[in-house]
Amino acid sequence: MKKKIISLGFILVLLFSLSACESKDLEKNDGERLRVGVTINPLKDFAEAIGGDKVEVFSIIPDGSDAHSFDPKPKDLKDLINTDMFLYNGLEMEEWIDSVLGTIEGKDIKIVETSKNIDAMNISEEDDHSHEDMDEESSEEHNHGGKDPHVWLSLIDAIKQAENIKDAFVEVDPDNKNYYEDNFEKLKKEFTDLNSEYVNKFNTLTNKDFVTGHAAFGYLCRDFGLTQKSIADVFGEGELTPKNLEALINYSKTNNVKTIFSEATASEKEAETLAKEVGAKVVKIYSLETKEDNMSYLEGMKYNLETIYSNLSN
Ligand SMILES: [Zn+2]
């Protein structure tokens, strides 16, 4: 009898796990909601805003971790195989992307490099500290293609990323074309309005010197006419060497910099060291690569712009 109960239990477990597998497959193929995997958090927000109730979006990068150097685990890759679409930033933002693409290519998953067709900015020599303390050969391997990947920190380029996502949704699910296009137009208007508001505000400023922890804000500075100086380079690498510190101190003193902006990727301690040297204060802003302090992309951009504007106008 006992044996029978055990084997019955075993069969039940087996049946249960079989049906669990089945429902997962159905989920992907039921034609109701597109399952979309993304890397950085802005892409999740754009996909959710445009896809609404037609999509289910998840990010493979845990909140608060370093998106540049994230290391996908076998579980992350398994999750991605079960998706209809995969969105990533590109421009070597995701230094680890090859392992993901190698796994999901040829598996009936629509892969979208969302920075496609964006006119990417070159990284200035100054913002790429990766060549320091390296011989010539390894420096070449580590040049990240020479482009700044942080395009979403420009509201205008973020619209282009959102448009690439919208186009992919329309391609995969043409029946809901109008729905995706309406949602995209709403997003576009919100981003355009916010951008115009701050173009006008920053135009009135005389102080345009922006000193930050990690050189992620090149696009934002370009859009609003600011000059970016940083402790860590565009990829969050490079430390505050005595030489860098001296140059930043001199720059900050000459330009009467009163605020050092700091965000999660760069060490706050380094920002504080610099601030102390020049008598400035440290103010937090967000690169928005992963979700922090429960802020959406748009909330984060509003916060960044208002914080930078109000501190530079003092
Ligand atoms: Zn970054």
Side-chain angles (χ1 to χ4, degrees), residues 112-218:
V112 185
E113 182 176 17
T114 59
S115 61
K116 196 180 58 190
N117 302 329
I118 288 176
D119 192 10
M121 288 170 69
N122 290 321
I123 296 168
S124 66
E125 279 271 309
E126 226 181 309
D127 286 338
D128 187 0
H129 304 168
S130 60
H131 54 278
E132 282 165 16
D133 306 322
M134 281 187 190
D135 57 45
E136 203 141 302
E137 201 181 318
S138 60
S139 153
E140 248 165 56
E141 278 169 25
H142 205 88
N143 67 5
H144 299 285
K147 299 288 180 189
D148 181 348
H150 303 88
V151 286
W152 65 90
L153 289 166
S154 159
L155 286 156
I156 300 306
D157 287 332
I159 292 172
K160 292 180 192 153
Q161 289 190 287
E163 187 165 20
N164 286 330
I165 295 170
K166 184 263 292 172
D167 289 345
F169 285 172
V170 171
E171 187 189 321
V172 171
D173 180 22
D175 289 351
N176 290 308
K177 184 173 188 277
N178 291 342
Y179 178 82
Y180 297 133
E181 280 180 348
D182 287 351
N183 286 343
F184 168 69
E185 289 304 326
K186 273 181 223 151
L187 174 149
K188 186 176 173 182
K189 185 171 185 313
E190 270 185 310
F191 288 16
T192 310
D193 288 352
L194 182 63
N195 189 68
S196 308
E197 181 190 338
Y198 279 91
V199 164
N200 293 333
K201 281 186 162 180
F202 280 107
N203 266 339
T204 65
L205 290 185
T206 47
N207 174 16
K208 314 254 184 187
D209 297 304
F210 174 82
V211 181
T212 184
H214 143 216
F217 300 89

Side-chain angles (χ1 to χ4, degrees), residues 68 93 150 214 216 234 289:
H68 292 283
M93 172 65 211
H150 303 88
H214 143 216
V234 177
E289 290 168 12

Side-chain angles (χ1 to χ4, degrees), residues 40-295:
I40 56 170
N41 195 60
L43 303 181
K44 183 164 182 276
D45 281 6
F46 304 163
E48 281 173 343
I50 297 164
D53 57 11
K54 316 279 181 223
V55 300
E56 178 198 337
V57 189
F58 67 97
S59 169
I60 60 167
I61 306 176
D63 291 347
S65 63
D66 182 348
H68 292 283
S69 61
F70 170 69
D71 186 15
K73 305 283 173 296
K75 188 197 159 290
D76 301 316
L77 298 175
K78 231 178 111 194
D79 279 351
L80 284 178
I81 287 174
N82 264 312
T83 57
D84 300 292
M85 193 179 290
F86 175 61
L87 310 173
Y88 70 107
N89 186 77
L91 296 172
E92 306 196 28
M93 172 65 211
E94 300 92 345
E95 289 164 18
W96 39 271
I97 200 70
D98 288 347
S99 67
V100 173
L101 297 182
T103 307
I104 64 172
E105 262 162 1
K107 292 223 165 38
D108 195 25
I109 296 166
K110 172 79 183 164
I111 299 172
V112 185
E113 182 176 17
T114 59
S115 61
K116 196 180 58 190
N117 302 329
I118 288 176
D119 192 10
M121 288 170 69
N122 290 321
I123 296 168
S124 66
E125 279 271 309
E126 226 181 309
D127 286 338
D128 187 0
H129 304 168
S130 60
H131 54 278
E132 282 165 16
D133 306 322
M134 281 187 190
D135 57 45
E136 203 141 302
E137 201 181 318
S138 60
S139 153
E140 248 165 56
E141 278 169 25
H142 205 88
N143 67 5
H144 299 285
K147 299 288 180 189
D148 181 348
H150 303 88
V151 286
W152 65 90
L153 289 166
S154 159
L155 286 156
I156 300 306
D157 287 332
I159 292 172
K160 292 180 192 153
Q161 289 190 287
E163 187 165 20
N164 286 330
I165 295 170
K166 184 263 292 172
D167 289 345
F169 285 172
V170 171
E171 187 189 321
V172 171
D173 180 22
D175 289 351
N176 290 308
K177 184 173 188 277
N178 291 342
Y179 178 82
Y180 297 133
E181 280 180 348
D182 287 351
N183 286 343
F184 168 69
E185 289 304 326
K186 273 181 223 151
L187 174 149
K188 186 176 173 182
K189 185 171 185 313
E190 270 185 310
F191 288 16
T192 310
D193 288 352
L194 182 63
N195 189 68
S196 308
E197 181 190 338
Y198 279 91
V199 164
N200 293 333
K201 281 186 162 180
F202 280 107
N203 266 339
T204 65
L205 290 185
T206 47
N207 174 16
K208 314 254 184 187
D209 297 304
F210 174 82
V211 181
T212 184
H214 143 216
F217 300 89
Y219 292 90
L220 187 150
C221 288
R222 176 200 64 190
D223 289 358
F224 302 102
L226 308 175
T227 311
Q228 174 176 249
K229 298 275 171 196
S230 74
I231 294 167
D233 74 7
V234 177
F235 296 91
E237 292 160 4
E239 284 173 37
L240 194 55
T241 62
K243 207 176 119 220
N244 283 341
L245 180 63
E246 203 192 309
L248 278 169
I249 289 172
N250 288 338
Y251 179 86
S252 304
K253 283 185 173 162
T254 312
N255 296 287
N256 196 24
V257 169
K258 291 183 192 130
T259 311
I260 310 296
F261 296 97
S262 169
E263 43 75 56
T265 312
S267 139
E268 222 170 295
K269 225 175 94 198
E270 293 179 335
E272 250 140 39
T273 306
L274 173 61
K276 220 163 153 189
E277 287 287 336
V278 300
K281 63 177 184 295
V282 177
V283 171
K284 187 173 184 183
I285 53 172
Y286 298 91
S287 69
L288 306 171
E289 290 168 12
T290 63
K291 201 173 182 99
E292 285 178 81
D293 298 338
N294 213 24
M295 239 187 259

